[in-house]
Amino acid sequence: MPVFLHGLTTAVPDPRYEQDWTCDLVQEHATRRRGVRRIIRSIYRNSGIRKRHSVIDDWSDEVRDPLFFDSDGGLLPTPGTGRRNEVYTREARRLFVDLAQALVRETPGIAASDITHVVTISCTGFFAPGPDYHVVRALGLPGTTQRYHVGFMGCYAAFQGLRMAHAFCRSDPDAVVLVLSVELCTLHLKFTEDTDELIAGAVFADGGAGVLVSAREPRPDARIPALELESFHTELTDEGEEDMAWTIGDQGFRMRLSTYVPEIIRTNLSPVLANLLERSGVERSQVDHLAIHPGGRAILDKVEATLGMAEGGLAASRRVLQEFGNMSSATILFVLDELLRGGQVRSGDRVLAMAFGPGLTIESGLLRVH
């Protein structure tokens, strides 16, 4: 029984910051050492990012809840994890609900009353009752609605949500699953000389995305083509456990993202791809489009070179990186949205989607355009 991704919507906070401006800000407040400032400039200028969005509004004219800077531009005491999580709780809850309401409003043929399962995803904060609870309440769903939260898995976690939705719909043909991902990575910004923290601060951003999944036949009046969820594959590399990690500290969450990550992905990409295609009975030539999680420009460069792709083969991924940065688990859904709305896909095309996260974990899936 085929299962389809019917609706897809994305959202970002209003505050937006140009990468050049952010680079200057970090240089000014992270260090006085010229050598470190050169490293900061190199990280930012080679990031492949033009701008990012953030719930941090310290520099807006109507700042409500400054975290890092006072009204005169002075640096405030470094906020603790609890203080950052207060902002996460408020802003993530609002974004989860907004995405859910937009999906129901924009997806023809599916009403809120049809939804049987809610799956929420996030690794950048915690609160309970969680976002799944607040979505159910906001949509007026019955208390019997099945709710699940995928937490703290990192950039590949959207695949876990899609896998769950696929399994629910295969076991119950009447199931309609709402999958939502919201990440507010910038709340964990730190002004430091630590290279890993500098890399994380240069690429991570805030945003959310959601999808509706069911076994219903795709509608011809849908705003974007439906995607059939054909198969999934997960792989753990033999190295990389210490190169990509996400831990909780006293001053926010700490992301370790070493410069060796792109090389680990390069050495493991071909066998992972071969395993997925073999298990799915699909030839490499039958894959028409790649939707790769843009963890950073170097990762996309390695993927492109390893697969021998022509220039522009990862245009959707590079576009999302340029305009939004790395929004952790939500990012791959932004890439799929960019691909579907870009006018380059046709009915019957097959899309290979892939994301990378702590472990080092490589998640992938085959999707077919309808």
Side-chain angles (χ1 to χ4, degrees):
M1 178 180 65
V3 176
F4 302 95
L5 187 159
H6 292 279
L8 199 168
T9 192
T10 63
V12 291
D14 289 334
R16 51 174 281 180
Y17 302 104
E18 301 294 321
Q19 191 75 333
D20 289 343
W21 180 88
T22 309
C23 178
D24 292 341
L25 182 78
V26 172
Q27 286 184 86
E28 180 181 356
H29 295 284
T31 182
R32 293 182 178 180
R33 296 199 293 169
R34 292 183 178 179
V36 178
R37 289 190 173 190
R38 284 196 296 270
I39 292 173
I40 293 172
R41 287 195 296 271
S42 176
I43 291 172
Y44 276 77
R45 290 174 181 174
N46 291 290
S47 66
I49 298 170
R50 184 178 70 86
K51 67 172 177 66
R52 290 175 288 164
H53 293 256
S54 170
V55 295
I56 299 172
D57 62 352
D58 290 13
W59 302 277
S60 71
D61 294 334
E62 300 178 356
V63 57
R64 295 179 304 161
D65 201 10
L67 269 179
F68 298 99
F69 292 88
D70 60 28
S71 58
D72 297 323
L75 193 62
L76 295 170
T78 302
T81 303
R83 177 76 179 86
R84 298 171 194 250
N85 198 64
E86 288 175 3
V87 181
Y88 171 86
T89 301
R90 182 187 69 232
E91 300 296 334
R93 174 179 170 178
R94 176 164 49 226
L95 193 50
F96 270 113
V97 169
D98 287 348
L99 283 164
Q101 292 173 335
L103 265 173
V104 171
R105 185 173 59 249
E106 297 170 1
T107 307
I110 296 180
S113 57
D114 296 324
I115 296 172
T116 57
H117 301 68
V118 173
V119 179
T120 56
I121 303 162
S122 189
C123 70
T124 46
F126 301 93
F127 59 94
D132 50 303
Y133 167 89
H134 292 288
V135 166
V136 166
R137 290 303 194 200
L139 294 181
L141 303 181
T144 54
T145 304
Q146 296 188 44
R147 300 181 286 121
Y148 305 87
H149 183 71
V150 178
F152 225 64
M153 295 191 78
C155 296
Y156 64 85
F159 282 94
Q160 311 309 315
L162 294 177
R163 280 175 177 267
M164 292 170 68
H166 184 261
F168 294 150
C169 293
R170 290 293 298 270
S171 64
D172 178 3
D174 295 324
V176 175
V177 187
L178 174 62
V179 181
L180 302 165
S181 168
V182 170
E183 303 287 11
L184 306 183
C185 308
T186 66
L187 288 175
H188 303 289
L189 172 69
K190 298 175 184 66
F191 295 103
T192 173
E193 293 185 354
D194 182 87
T195 301
D196 288 336
E197 296 285 3
L198 290 172
I199 293 173
V203 301
F204 282 104
D206 300 350
V211 299
L212 281 164
V213 178
S214 82
R216 299 181 179 187
E217 284 297 315
R219 296 257 307 211
D221 56 344
R223 296 174 68 245
I224 59 172
L227 289 172
E228 180 183 348
L229 307 179
E230 289 193 318
S231 62
F232 297 96
H233 182 68
T234 187
E235 194 82 41
L236 287 175
T237 65
D238 293 331
E239 54 186 335
E241 181 178 344
E242 301 299 325
D243 292 277
M244 187 183 293
W246 191 227
T247 57
I248 300 175
D250 294 332
Q251 297 177 336
F253 297 174
R254 189 174 188 276
M255 179 66 186
R256 175 167 175 75
L257 187 66
S258 82
T259 55
Y260 190 47
V261 168
E263 182 61 20
I264 297 174
I265 292 173
R266 184 196 68 80
T267 58
N268 287 275
L269 185 62
S270 293
V272 168
L273 180 58
N275 287 340
L276 170 66
L277 296 177
E278 181 180 0
R279 291 182 60 211
S280 305
V282 174
E283 299 291 334
R284 174 67 180 87
S285 59
Q286 294 176 294
V287 175
D288 303 289
H289 308 278
L290 290 180
I292 304 297
H293 168 68
R297 196 184 78 173
I299 289 176
L300 295 181
D301 289 345
K302 291 290 186 181
V303 171
E304 204 168 65
T306 302
L307 299 182
M309 300 177 64
E311 184 177 352
L314 296 179
S317 296
R318 292 190 186 277
R319 170 73 174 169
V320 169
L321 180 66
Q322 177 183 3
E323 297 302 317
F324 300 103
N326 181 348
M327 298 163 287
S328 191
S329 66
T331 318
I332 190 62
L333 299 179
F334 274 73
V335 175
L336 289 173
D337 185 67
E338 177 74 20
L339 192 63
L340 293 175
R341 297 180 193 276
Q344 299 178 351
V345 299
R346 299 178 180 180
S347 178
D349 282 0
R350 183 173 276 114
V351 178
L352 168 64
M354 186 174 289
F356 321 99
L360 197 151
T361 304
I362 301 178
E363 287 283 352
S364 52
L366 282 173
L367 318 170
R368 185 182 285 274
V369 180
H370 278 255

